[in-house]
Amino acid sequence: MSNTIRLTAAQAMIKWLSVQMTPAASSSEAIGAQTTASSSEAIGVQKTASSSEAVGEQKLERYIDGMWAIFGHGNVAGIGEALHASRDVFPTWRGQNEQTMAHAAIAYAKGKKRTRAMAVTTSIGPGSTNVVTAAALAHVNRLPVLIVAGDVFANRRPDPVLQQVEDFDDGTVSANDCFKPVSRYFDRITRPEHLLTALPRALRTMTDPANCGPAVLAFCQDVQTEAYDYPEAFFEPRVWHTRRPAPDARELDEVASLIKVARNPVIIAGGGTIYAGAEQTLAAFATQHGIPVVETQAGKSALAQSHPMNFGALGVDGSAAANVATEAADLVIGVGTRLQDFTTGSRTLFGADAKLVSINIHGYDAAKHGAVSLVGDAKVALEALTAAIGNYKAAAPNAQAREDWLRAVDVYCARPDDQAAKPTDGQVIGAVQRATDETAIAMCAAGTMPGALKLLWKPAQGGYHMEYGYSCMGYEVAGAMGLKLAAPVRDVICFVGDGSYMMANSELATAVMRRIPFTVVLTDNAGYGCINRLQTMGCGGEPFNNMYVDCNVEDQPQIDYVAHAASMGAHAVKAANTDQLEAEIKAARTRNIPTVIVIETTAKTFPGTGLDTRAGAHGYFWDVAVPQVSERQKQRDRYADYITQIARQSLVN
């Protein structure tokens, strides 16, 4: 009979998580650029306890770096006590909001290119449902996070307990069932021995490159405290590796044949390129075969902007160089992209006669839009294709179009002549770009800035972090904290509008307490400027309920963002113009706490709003439904244009 160890279920979970290991990745492998100092040397970021160890010749790191926790009814007595007992080997961090601490965990995993992850625990009821939005964000973006949500009593003796959701027709339902549509793996722990199967299944999902996403364990609160005799072998260290599936031989031959006869192919680099560590492979493939590369939000910075084959962003918020090249392509090769509407111009961007190939780790994504599938790891697939197509060379791409666009970017981002006028978002981006170096990572999530940054930011490899799969307002500040934990020696610049900042900013206090330094550039245009432009220009509507001036209020708000950020301990300052912004960006690098720089911006339009209907100076069509009936001529005219555009959409699924 095997030896056993008697533990509560919560103690067993923490003990097991503390010995789940993964091969250590260098900072350059995890983020995509060389660094000059070890993580532990970074200002204000301390190495977590027992986070790594050497086993034989292989250096390992704990796969789950630690657990974010807000304790309450449903997790304080069981999980809380277990975390306290293991605090020296498995760290616990306190957040300010369940959703935002989960955002920090997700950003950490994205910054680590899915090689490591974090866990989050919440109380039952509102604590759990606060995390559902974050779970959806991780699900859409294919990012790993372990969510351990407190649940009701499995024994049902005290039902209904505080915060319990009662389903009148189903006694098995709890609030945590909300996680099911947005989880890659869901389990409810109603007996202590369930952990023996549930925990390995959860990590199998999180470390699977095809099915990667959030794993949710709804942990009944009475079960957390129940003891069980667990086999000692269950707690033996285990090393989790990321598999690299090779493509099917028949699919490889078909795709190679299509490339060999293509004259003007184009590559769409998606986030899967980065998660597969295929950046250098992509660069070599594009250079050797003369194929231009265009980028999605998730794939931006797979190639440095300076790479001659990088034609920039494509789609709704894309560049002229990228969109014209894609529209003219006879073969479009997606690499690690899920081909969402912003990428495809709502299915209008690819030419009617163009063939579509999709290289993806998951067959679901690889088959979208009627694509010829090549299912496999992006790095392995590109290497196999290089061998299969030999000395193939595409027709020379339009290098002049690329140079013309980069010059246009310089114009949009140039220092304003009138420093007294409110700058555009492009001018703000230019100021930040001039004040940073190749270690900088620009990050954002929602509003105007994602389109502007995708269009205008010129990153070095790995210098871009955008949550645009879910485009979740409120991700930015917490995400910047998680990203800085993943990339402690890099300069993290968080772009956030006043609207997103107002939704979720409290993790600034956490970053101050933990001495995690990053820089927040808070652009204040007095409302939801991005949606206002969509409302008035994209949909033919009138300004309404987006800018404060157009809202039903008794008085216009006078929000002092500097005082607000300073009240949480951040260094906060207002920049009167872009010159001052540049100076403050440089000064922020000397601090070991977050810096918040507020700058007022104009809400007027700029390149990359996604309101253009054809590839021209910038942008492409985006399908946002327009009312069929209206009393206003402006709305009727917009609907007529809308009907023209949707007639161009491909209906192939």
Side-chain angles (χ1 to χ4, degrees), residues 8-11 74-75 77-79 150-151 219-226:
T8 68
Q11 291 166 350
N75 73 338
I79 295 173
D151 212 319
F219 207 159
C220 290
Q221 57 183 292
D222 54 335
V223 178
Q224 294 174 29
T225 63
E226 291 176 10

Side-chain angles (χ1 to χ4, degrees), residues 150-162:
D151 212 319
V152 298
F153 275 67
N155 64 35
R156 303 188 182 182
R157 284 198 304 265
D159 283 5
V161 298
L162 177 67

Side-chain angles (χ1 to χ4, degrees), residues 529-617:
C530 177
I531 296 302
N532 183 67
R533 283 192 292 273
L534 177 62
Q535 181 180 56
T536 59
M537 297 174 64
C539 299
E542 296 298 323
F544 177 64
N545 205 52
N546 285 313
M547 308 307 291
Y548 284 122
V549 71
D550 301 317
C551 293
N552 185 8
V553 296
E554 299 302 319
D555 193 13
Q556 288 297 300
Q558 302 294 325
I559 303 169
D560 190 338
Y561 294 107
V562 172
H564 182 271
S567 73
M568 289 186 281
H571 180 90
V573 65
K574 188 167 187 176
N577 51 47
T578 58
D579 286 352
Q580 289 186 19
L581 175 60
E582 286 189 51
E584 293 295 343
I585 290 286
K586 294 174 182 177
R589 296 197 197 105
T590 64
R591 303 186 184 103
N592 67 350
I593 57 173
T595 295
V596 176
I597 308 168
V598 180
I599 184 166
E600 293 183 5
T601 58
T602 177
K604 73 178 184 180
T605 189
F606 69 97
T609 58
L611 304 178
D612 304 86
T613 56
R614 298 289 293 172

Side-chain angles (χ1 to χ4, degrees), residues 266-270 282 286 291-327 332-333 337 342-344 349-350 397-407 409 450-459 464 608 617-619:
V266 66
I267 296 169
I268 301 176
L282 174 64
I291 306 176
V293 175
V294 297
E295 305 168 311
T296 70
Q297 281 282 21
K300 187 175 175 71
S301 80
L303 295 186
Q305 184 66 70
S306 59
H307 193 284
M309 300 309 294
N310 186 341
F311 277 58
L314 87 157
V316 173
D317 42 9
S319 73
N323 281 342
V324 170
T326 304
E327 190 176 44
V332 177
I333 307 169
T337 172
F342 260 62
T343 298
T344 67
L349 178 52
F350 306 155
N398 189 345
Q400 187 61 52
R402 177 180 181 276
E403 293 304 317
D404 289 346
W405 176 250
L406 290 177
R407 279 195 293 272
V409 170
L453 287 164
K454 181 184 174 188
L455 195 71
L456 304 176
W457 184 259
K458 297 180 180 179
Y464 194 75
H618 52 83

Side-chain angles (χ1 to χ4, degrees), residues 368-388:
K368 285 178 179 173
H369 306 294
V372 176
S373 300
L374 186 60
V375 178
D377 176 82
K379 186 175 189 296
V380 174
L382 288 173
E383 290 170 345
L385 278 175
T386 291

Side-chain angles (χ1 to χ4, degrees), residues 224 419 498 591 636:
Q224 294 174 29
Q419 285 287 306
D498 55 303
R591 303 186 184 103
R636 294 196 294 270

